[in-house]
Amino acid sequence: AQKVTQAQTEISVVEKEDVTLDCVYETRDTTYYLFWYKQPPSGELVFLIRRNSFDEQNEISGRYSWNFQKSTSSFNFTITASQVVDSAVYFCALSERNNDMRFGAGTRLTVKP
Amino acid sequence: SQTIHQWPATLVQPVGSPLSLECTVEGTSNPNLYWYRQAAGRGLQLLFYSVGIGQISSEVPQNLSASRPQDRQFILSSKKLLLSDSGFYLCAWGLRVGGYTFGSGTRLTVV
């Protein structure tokens, strides 16, 4: 069965610090898709990134970067030079070809000024 | 472009009352539709999904039901709400491989 673990329940950093949110997944499929979503205080989930299992290239988008490592079944998310607006709950999710998306429990990030 | 609408944004209902939350999608045909619930401080739990009109799959047995009367309409219902039904309900559409687009959510408080 597919499973997503976000071991960090809450993280608090001071503005401009770098922070990494961990995500470990379990799947028996060779084809699967990984996602990160951001949930700001308003509640709506905002899509951040999608990664398929055949593409292990790390990705950088501005201050955001993602490190996908199949060897450790991890898909970690790093925010560089964090800002107060980054405060939110971040969800990692896994989708298999024949199973719907499953979310981790989420990590609440608080960035203090 | 595709948009997803969900209403109401906030709802306070007494225990034992009925519930109807509506979600509609625009700009796409035959979307896969989903209802998720997020209890306070918790993760997202998949409640129902639908791959077509009248086709509903339930993930968790509970006090809720879902219906899809039209291609782009997905309704979450309950005949009698329980306190434990309180939470944040999110509708989404999309494909497993492409990711989902979520509505703005309904915050339900059962009192």
Side-chain angles (χ1 to χ4, degrees):
Chain A
Q2 57 186 132
K3 184 178 174 182
V4 179
T5 302
Q6 294 180 256
Q8 305 149 306
T9 305
E10 294 190 31
I11 300 177
S12 181
V13 299
V14 177
E15 208 169 20
K16 297 184 183 178
E17 286 184 10
D18 298 346
V19 58
T20 295
L21 309 182
D22 298 333
C23 174
V24 174
Y25 62 91
E26 294 178 29
T27 178
R28 294 179 182 174
D29 276 14
T30 55
T31 301
Y32 53 89
Y33 304 84
L34 295 163
F35 305 84
W36 275 96
Y37 284 86
K38 174 182 179 180
Q39 185 180 39
S42 60
E44 186 173 348
L45 264 76
V46 178
F47 169 83
L48 295 179
I49 189 171
R50 165 186 176 268
R51 223 357 148 233
N52 73 58
S53 53
F54 299 108
D55 182 3
E56 283 192 78
Q57 261 194 336
N58 291 327
E59 182 158 337
I60 297 175
S61 176
R63 296 184 296 105
Y64 294 173
S65 62
W66 291 269
N67 183 2
F68 177 28
Q69 293 200 352
K70 290 177 77 171
S71 60
T72 56
S73 297
S74 64
F75 186 42
N76 297 337
F77 173 30
T78 297
I79 302 175
T80 304
S82 60
Q83 300 176 2
V84 173
V85 293
D86 295 327
S87 297
V89 180
Y90 291 87
F91 290 97
C92 180
L94 165 69
S95 182
E96 298 168 332
R97 292 183 72 175
N98 296 311
N99 281 297
D100 294 294
M101 193 178 293
R102 294 291 189 264
F103 287 82
T107 297
R108 181 178 299 278
L109 173 66
T110 302
V111 181
K112 299 177 181 177
Chain B
S1 63
Q2 302 92 357
T3 56
I4 181 168
H5 303 281
Q6 190 179 341
W7 68 91
T10 306
L11 194 59
V12 180
Q13 292 283 102
V15 169
S17 63
L19 172 74
S20 180
L21 302 181
E22 189 160 344
C23 171
T24 59
V25 180
E26 294 178 0
T28 184
S29 295
N30 197 30
N32 288 354
L33 296 172
Y34 304 85
W35 277 110
Y36 282 86
R37 176 170 63 194
Q38 185 179 24
R42 305 283 297 277
L44 290 157
Q45 179 187 35
L46 178 63
L47 301 176
F48 301 95
Y49 67 93
S50 171
V51 298
I53 295 175
Q55 300 178 61
I56 308 295
S57 295
S58 174
E59 285 290 303
V60 182
Q62 57 211 322
N63 186 41
L64 302 168
S65 62
S67 62
R68 186 168 177 176
Q70 300 180 41
D71 181 43
R72 288 170 282 183
Q73 184 184 29
F74 203 24
I75 298 172
L76 182 69
S77 304
S78 173
K79 292 183 179 178
K80 288 186 178 181
L81 283 169
L82 306 172
L83 286 174
S84 57
D85 292 324
S86 293
F88 189 56
Y89 290 82
L90 286 156
C91 179
W93 78 274
L95 298 173
R96 293 166 181 160
V97 300
Y100 300 166
T101 299
F102 286 84
S104 54
T106 296
R107 199 166 299 280
L108 171 67
T109 304
V110 182
V111 296

